[in-house]
Amino acid sequence: MTHVDPSHLVELALGNAPRTPADTEALDHIDRCARCRDDLRTLTRVVQAARTAELVDLPAQPPEHVWRRIARDLSAEPTAPERPRRTPDRRKHALLALLALATAAAHCRRRARARRRAAPHLPGRPGRS
């Protein structure tokens, strides 16, 4: 099921533009879809709250020192971001240790095979002539 695009829901909640055939199609979908209906209801409440807000509803203006710090931070020279400190990754270390162990075991097996091939065949040993 294709839901109504969020930007289209915002436009419907604002209700500023005349209805189009796409709006009618979207509203038909909203009638059948609980998710889109809830999203539109929420957006409509936000729009209503914003439209009816008064000056006393708005938060108090920040103190002057906050504005000075914002201005200072915005005008400051950009600095290179600090590189994050690397923390040891136990899984990575365990994997590297296992890899080293497997490499060492493979090397030992190759050496043992090479010694067996190079050693003279001893009489009386099974499997050897």
Side-chain angles (χ1 to χ4, degrees):
M1 170 190 291
T2 303
H3 295 286
V4 178
D5 187 78
S7 63
H8 196 168
L9 286 172
V10 169
E11 291 299 323
L12 290 170
L14 289 169
N16 293 337
R19 292 282 155 97
T20 65
D23 292 341
T24 304
E25 187 177 321
L27 290 169
D28 287 343
H29 170 81
I30 290 167
D31 285 339
R32 295 184 311 274
C33 177
R35 175 182 158 189
C36 290
R37 191 170 41 254
D38 289 343
D39 289 348
L40 180 59
R41 187 177 301 125
T42 301
L43 289 168
T44 302
R45 286 192 354 232
V46 169
V47 167
Q48 294 253 309
R51 286 182 174 159
T52 59
E54 295 181 15
L55 192 56
V56 344
D57 297 326
L58 300 176
Q61 184 172 351
E64 186 59 34
H65 73 276
V66 172
W67 290 118
R68 281 194 304 268
R69 181 163 181 192
I70 290 171
R72 185 189 72 219
D73 289 350
L74 288 174
S75 64
E77 286 291 318
T79 58
E82 204 174 298
R83 290 183 65 170
R85 294 182 68 192
R86 296 189 77 165
T87 57
D89 183 356
R90 289 179 185 255
R91 288 175 291 170
K92 184 177 178 182
H93 286 228
L95 184 61
L96 288 173
L98 285 173
L99 182 60
L101 185 60
T103 304
H107 178 70
C108 288
R109 279 194 301 269
R110 278 195 302 271
R111 285 188 60 185
R113 271 190 237 124
R115 272 186 295 207
R116 280 193 300 262
R117 276 187 249 137
H121 296 294
L122 300 174
R125 292 186 80 186
R128 308 223 179 203
S129 37

